[in-house]
Amino acid sequence: MVTLMDFWTLMAVYILILLSLTNLLLKPVLLAKRMTGKALKKLIRVQVPENQKKSLERLYTPVWLIIGIWAFFKLKEATLLGAVFGLLAFRSGANITRLIVYSSHDAKVLRGMAEGRVLKVLERIVRLSLLFESAFPVALILAYKTLSAITLQTGSAGKFLLELWVAGALFGLLFSYIIARNNKGLLLEDSVDALIFIVAVRGKQKTEKAKEITRRKLKFKAP
């Protein structure tokens, strides 16, 4: 007979599977959009503000990956479910705070462009991204009681995972602040829709400027 605790744990597993599959399916889409954005930038030849600290930002993935793998092997013998959560907990916390800081920074960079319409595009992307990222802590909450019943040398598995998520959130906050500070470029690489929109708008602005110059020349030459 399935108990209430087993039911919520099962729900947590389903959310984890759905989260992982969605993330896997989104990778090709995001890659295609990024390539489209780059192609448009080259085609229209418009300079879009780029991240000025790309080399430093490359450290983000190795950090969460190393900590995630460490957590996975720490929990693997006690609970396989906890090990999977451990692999993703630090990353989940870091991603949420990083997304909040990056979106706030990019909004400041984009403010004034395209009469504010680009901010609506960015806002929609960030809202969807936050909704996607929040699926992990929801799954962790559902499985928390089950994982808390599993003991480790340093306490329960649930407590360890919660601490790992909080540590990730603090790391993401600090890391994103360092990247965003005095950075005049756009930081959200997945916000390709915003980039494409900027490129299109700036191309339109150049066209309108050229038309205005031509109109003035014609007016000047007119008798």
Side-chain angles (χ1 to χ4, degrees):
M1 184 176 179
V2 179
T3 64
L4 185 61
M5 185 178 292
D6 291 335
F7 171 76
W8 290 122
T9 303
L10 195 61
M11 287 295 295
V13 172
Y14 284 144
I15 292 174
L16 263 186
I17 293 172
L18 182 62
L19 185 65
S20 301
L21 287 176
T22 305
N23 189 41
L24 188 64
L25 291 171
L26 280 177
K27 290 297 181 183
V29 177
L30 294 175
L31 178 62
K33 290 173 71 176
R34 193 173 294 120
M35 295 302 293
T36 303
K38 288 181 179 180
L40 272 177
K41 282 190 285 184
K42 289 181 180 180
L43 181 64
I44 305 178
R45 295 184 180 181
V46 176
Q47 187 64 37
V48 175
E50 294 187 358
N51 185 358
Q52 297 173 329
K53 299 180 182 179
K54 282 185 177 180
S55 56
L56 180 61
E57 194 179 28
R58 290 192 184 101
L59 294 173
Y60 180 80
T61 299
V63 168
W64 77 256
L65 198 56
I66 290 169
I67 294 175
I69 292 172
W70 166 74
F72 177 86
F73 283 104
K74 181 179 176 65
L75 293 165
K76 185 171 68 72
E77 296 300 325
T79 163
L80 185 59
L81 175 63
V84 175
F85 271 104
L87 180 65
L88 302 173
F90 187 86
R91 176 184 178 273
S92 173
N95 274 0
I96 286 179
T97 51
R98 186 178 71 145
L99 184 61
I100 292 171
V101 174
Y102 276 17
S103 62
S104 176
H105 170 272
D106 283 4
K108 292 178 182 177
V109 174
L110 297 174
R111 190 167 286 117
M113 291 183 180
E115 301 174 354
R117 286 174 294 174
V118 70
L119 292 178
K120 293 180 180 178
V121 178
L122 178 65
E123 181 186 353
R124 184 164 59 250
I125 295 166
V126 171
R127 194 184 300 122
L128 288 172
S129 299
L130 279 173
L131 182 64
F132 178 69
E133 290 295 343
S134 65
F136 179 87
V138 168
L140 181 57
I141 290 169
L142 292 177
Y144 184 77
K145 283 189 176 181
T146 301
L147 293 168
S148 294
I150 300 168
T151 57
L152 304 171
Q153 290 182 347
T154 54
S156 70
K159 181 173 177 289
F160 172 72
L161 289 169
L162 184 60
E163 291 172 346
L164 198 62
W165 192 92
V166 172
L170 293 174
F171 166 75
L173 190 65
L174 178 61
F175 184 87
S176 56
Y177 172 76
I178 293 171
I179 297 295
R181 189 171 181 271
N182 299 325
N183 196 331
K184 296 179 180 179
L186 292 174
L187 306 179
L188 290 174
E189 291 184 0
D190 291 341
S191 298
V192 182
D193 294 312
L195 294 177
I196 293 173
F197 195 83
I198 295 171
V199 171
V201 167
R202 287 193 174 180
K204 181 182 177 182
Q205 289 172 346
K206 280 191 173 184
T207 303
E208 290 176 351
K209 187 176 180 180
K211 286 181 179 179
E212 179 63 21
I213 292 172
T214 303
R215 188 184 65 80
R216 286 180 181 180
K217 285 181 178 180
L218 291 172
K219 185 177 179 181
F220 179 77
K221 289 180 180 179

